[in-house]
Amino acid sequence: MERSTRVSVFESDKPSEIQLIKSKLDDAQITNSVENSYLTFTTTPTATSLKVMVDLEDEKNAFEIIDAYLQQSENQ
């Protein structure tokens, strides 16, 4: 079985923002998953950062979708 390399394409501590990015990637048929990790010592110990992970070969397309979303949300 071939093992694929997963990379983080988006991080946030806001679950709603993570869910929005995840759904945009789902719409583009880009397989993705969400991982939690504790943030660094500069934040509260209970704070977690959520990461959207995709396969390495989908990274470029995922970044294009995320960039378009971020530009659209900045213009509102």
Side-chain angles (χ1 to χ4, degrees):
M1 185 170 135
E2 184 181 322
R3 184 149 163 81
S4 62
T5 302
R6 310 277 291 160
V7 294
S8 173
V9 291
F10 188 77
E11 291 185 38
S12 177
D13 58 353
K14 298 179 188 138
S16 59
E17 195 171 39
I18 290 289
Q19 196 56 48
L20 190 64
I21 294 296
K22 187 169 174 20
S23 69
K24 289 192 176 295
L25 295 176
D26 287 341
D27 290 346
Q29 274 95 46
I30 296 175
T31 303
N32 62 81
S33 62
V34 176
E35 292 183 3
N36 299 357
S37 59
Y38 285 104
L39 293 173
T40 62
F41 64 90
T42 57
T43 60
T44 58
T46 57
T48 57
S49 174
L50 299 169
K51 295 180 182 182
V52 178
M53 308 290 288
V54 301
D55 288 335
L56 184 59
E57 59 267 13
D58 292 327
E59 181 182 30
K60 183 178 182 288
N61 290 339
F63 276 131
E64 288 172 1
I65 290 165
I66 293 165
D67 286 345
Y69 159 72
L70 293 173
Q71 287 177 1
Q72 178 187 10
S73 62
E74 277 181 11
N75 293 333
Q76 290 181 351

